[in-house]
């Protein structure tokens, strides 16, 4: 779909409209957040939300008015992934149309969204589109860099594209074979 929420939502809507898929699997690259996430880990979403939405004081930070704060993922797909003989980290994936470059921004997102494991720029847009069209959804993200002190996010992200091995997509391959 390309980078960003608009591109992801348009792509998801067109896929659903044109092909009526049984489910959507959003695969991509994310920054790692929270505890126990390392470079090249595969994070599988247990829920997805926005970290950059504010619709006023009557609506939770991250929630688009009229929609859930946390978009659910497909229990069926999550169950299949849990049965696979491949290592994954499970947790919340948060989405926004910007890199979280300061420790203050990163700390805010971690405090606001406990259980966060990854941050990206597409997953919540795909999740919201899937929610609107009642299409089962899950996100799988490969960690390209780690947010927080002691990490050079830009260097990690740049190195990721040179060092990421095909084995980082073993989870997706195993899932597609299981389905």
């Amino acid at each position: 779909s390309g980078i960003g929420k608009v591109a992801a939502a348009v792509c998801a809507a067109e896929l659903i409209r044109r092909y009526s898929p049984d489910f959507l699997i959003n695969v991509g690259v994310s920054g790692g957040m929270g505890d126990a996430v390392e470079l090249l880990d595969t994070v599988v979403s247990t829920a997805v939300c926005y970290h950059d939405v504010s619709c006023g004081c009557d609506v939770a930070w991250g929630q688009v008015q009229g929609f859930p704060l946390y978009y659910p993922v497909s229990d069926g797909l999550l169950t299949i992934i849990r049965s696979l003989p491949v290592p994954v980290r499970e947790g919340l994936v948060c989405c926004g149309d910007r890199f979280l470059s300061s420790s203050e921004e990163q700390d805010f997102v971690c405090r606001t969204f406990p259980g966060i494991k990854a941050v990206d720029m597409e997953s919540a847009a795909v999740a919201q589109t899937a929610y609107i069209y009642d299409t089962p959804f899950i996100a799988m993200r490969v960690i390209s860099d780690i947010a927080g002190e002691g990490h050079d996010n830009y260097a990690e992200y740049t190195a990721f594209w040179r060092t990421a091995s095909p084995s980082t997509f073993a989870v997706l391959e195993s899932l597609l074979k299981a389905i």
Side-chain angles (χ1 to χ4, degrees):
S1 70
I3 296 172
K5 293 187 289 190
V6 172
V10 168
C11 182
E14 286 296 308
L15 283 170
I16 293 167
R17 188 181 66 76
R18 291 181 189 192
Y19 302 106
S20 302
D22 294 330
F23 50 82
L24 293 178
I25 304 171
N26 177 242
V27 179
V29 174
S30 292
M33 299 275 289
D35 297 330
V37 179
E38 298 179 18
L39 291 174
L40 302 180
D41 278 353
T42 299
V43 172
V44 175
S45 61
T46 53
V48 178
C49 70
Y50 294 106
H51 67 72
D52 65 346
V53 170
S54 176
C55 288
C57 62
D58 293 341
V59 181
W61 184 270
Q63 184 175 6
V64 174
Q65 190 169 5
F67 289 92
L69 171 59
Y70 296 105
Y71 291 95
V73 300
S74 165
D75 289 333
L77 291 173
L78 189 56
T79 298
I80 293 171
I81 291 169
R82 287 175 173 159
S83 74
L84 299 175
V86 290
V88 297
R89 307 269 190 212
E90 293 181 19
L92 179 63
V93 175
C94 291
C95 175
D97 267 337
R98 55 193 306 269
F99 286 107
L100 299 177
S101 55
S102 75
S103 59
E104 292 82 13
E105 293 172 310
Q106 295 162 4
D107 291 345
F108 173 79
V109 171
C110 285
R111 279 192 321 272
T112 306
F113 302 103
I116 185 174
K117 295 292 183 226
V119 62
D120 69 17
M121 300 174 92
E122 298 84 27
S123 291
V126 176
Q128 184 176 352
T129 304
Y131 180 87
I132 290 167
Y133 285 96
D134 195 29
T135 301
F137 159 85
I138 200 159
M140 295 174 29
R141 314 303 285 185
V142 177
I143 301 301
S144 62
D145 59 288
I146 305 292
E149 291 184 33
H151 292 275
D152 182 346
N153 300 77
Y154 181 75
E156 289 175 347
Y157 180 77
T158 303
F160 168 82
W161 294 108
R162 291 191 306 267
T163 61
S165 70
S167 65
T168 60
F169 296 98
V171 177
L172 178 60
E173 182 180 25
S174 296
L175 174 59
L176 292 175
K177 286 179 182 177
I179 294 171

